[in-house]
Amino acid sequence: MFFLPVAIFIVFLVLAGVRIVKQQTAAIVETFGRYSRTLKPGLNWIIPFVQNVARVVDLRIRELQAQVEVKTRDNMFVSLPVAIMVQAVEERAADAYYQLANPAEQVSTWVLNTLRSSTASMELQELYEDRQRLAAEVEEALVERLSAYGYRVVGVLVDQPTVSAEVQASFNRVVTSQREKEAAEQEAQALRIRIVGEARAEAEAQELRAQGLAKARAILSESLTEAVTRAKQEGLHEDDIMNLLL
């Protein structure tokens, strides 16, 4: 009879200490409030009433979004939507849990500092055209920093900058003006090419007409000379020859 309660108590302890950890997660175990170990996916056991699971860390890729307000070199205040893909490293799940209290806010602060230094030397149009450069700089700055806290950076995406309606309208006018200027320059170049072509064609036509006229006069002069020579050979008087020619 004594062994039955003991057996029941042991079974209770065994069942009370069973912990099932799901795939792509890691469970942080504390012993009397102090970190003890990390449980991997599958069936695990902890000491009941002595140890407890403080937190289950998600090992899947997370998307941290940040809306960063920056100022460009041409004094434009721009809002940059940034998305960072991060993942907690399984072997360092404890660091990911204990060292960062609020990963989203802290990453946003680091992104803000990085982008402010990068965009200070860029104009508004460059932000639209060279967002990949910004993303590369943010990723380079975050990789080393987040790795110290048990995270790895999977990717960084800097979306299209957002400005106020007034700034957007002004920017559109500048772009339109630049496009119109380029179109006018192209039209002027085309007109110049057409005028030069027409003038060259007219000059060539006049030259050809002059050459034809000179050739015709030469042929006519040669024919007249030959006719006069034959008339003299036939014994005609010069007055008669002149009358004949006229």
Side-chain angles (χ1 to χ4, degrees), residues 184-203:
E185 290 176 351
Q186 292 177 358
E187 290 178 1
Q189 183 67 14
L191 179 60
R192 176 181 173 277
I193 294 174
R194 185 167 64 250
I195 292 175
V196 171
E198 292 176 354
R200 184 176 294 131
E202 179 63 22

Side-chain angles (χ1 to χ4, degrees), residues 79-100:
S79 177
L80 281 175
V82 183
I84 302 99
M85 305 297 177
V86 298
Q87 183 180 30
V89 181
E90 183 176 2
E91 293 75 12
R92 302 190 58 192
D95 291 332
Y97 169 59
Y98 287 107
Q99 297 201 42
L100 290 182

Side-chain angles (χ1 to χ4, degrees), residues 16-221:
V18 171
R19 294 294 183 271
I20 298 176
V21 180
K22 295 183 178 180
Q23 186 68 29
Q24 287 298 97
T25 60
I28 307 299
V29 177
E30 293 179 344
T31 301
F32 295 121
R34 184 175 182 178
Y35 171 72
S36 175
R37 58 196 172 99
T38 301
L39 303 181
K40 294 186 177 182
L43 183 64
N44 298 270
W45 189 81
I46 63 174
I47 302 175
F49 311 112
V50 175
Q51 297 179 328
N52 70 293
V53 175
R55 177 72 177 271
V56 176
V57 179
D58 194 342
L59 301 178
R60 293 175 296 179
I61 297 175
R62 299 172 57 193
E63 179 180 0
L64 303 180
Q65 296 184 348
Q67 197 78 13
V68 184
E69 300 290 336
V70 297
K71 181 181 179 182
T72 62
R73 187 175 62 188
D74 48 353
N75 296 322
M76 294 293 183
F77 290 91
V78 184
S79 177
L80 281 175
V82 183
I84 302 99
M85 305 297 177
V86 298
Q87 183 180 30
V89 181
E90 183 176 2
E91 293 75 12
R92 302 190 58 192
D95 291 332
Y97 169 59
Y98 287 107
Q99 297 201 42
L100 290 182
N102 193 329
E105 290 187 3
Q106 289 166 297
V107 168
S108 298
T109 302
W110 293 331
V111 170
L112 174 60
N113 293 333
T114 302
L115 286 180
R116 276 181 175 171
S117 60
S118 300
T119 57
S121 60
M122 301 176 67
E123 294 185 354
L124 179 60
Q125 187 168 354
E126 292 180 90
L127 291 184
Y128 282 91
E129 297 173 351
D130 203 7
R131 297 200 303 272
Q132 290 186 351
R133 168 193 158 190
L134 292 177
E137 291 179 357
V138 171
E139 183 171 356
E140 182 180 358
L142 290 180
V143 165
E144 183 177 357
R145 182 166 291 182
L146 283 179
S147 64
Y149 300 108
Y151 287 92
R152 71 182 185 93
V153 179
V154 179
V156 176
L157 173 64
V158 178
D159 208 343
Q160 181 170 319
T162 303
V163 296
S164 64
E166 294 79 6
V167 173
Q168 183 65 47
S170 176
F171 181 69
N172 291 338
R173 286 196 298 270
V174 171
V175 173
T176 302
S177 176
Q178 184 175 356
R179 297 292 181 268
E180 290 176 352
K181 179 182 177 181
E182 293 175 356
E185 290 176 351
Q186 292 177 358
E187 290 178 1
Q189 183 67 14
L191 179 60
R192 176 181 173 277
I193 294 174
R194 185 167 64 250
I195 292 175
V196 171
E198 292 176 354
R200 184 176 294 131
E202 179 63 22
E204 292 176 354
Q206 291 181 2
E207 183 178 357
L208 291 175
R209 284 196 295 269
Q211 291 176 357
L213 182 59
K215 186 176 181 180
R217 287 175 177 173
I219 294 174
L220 178 60
S221 177

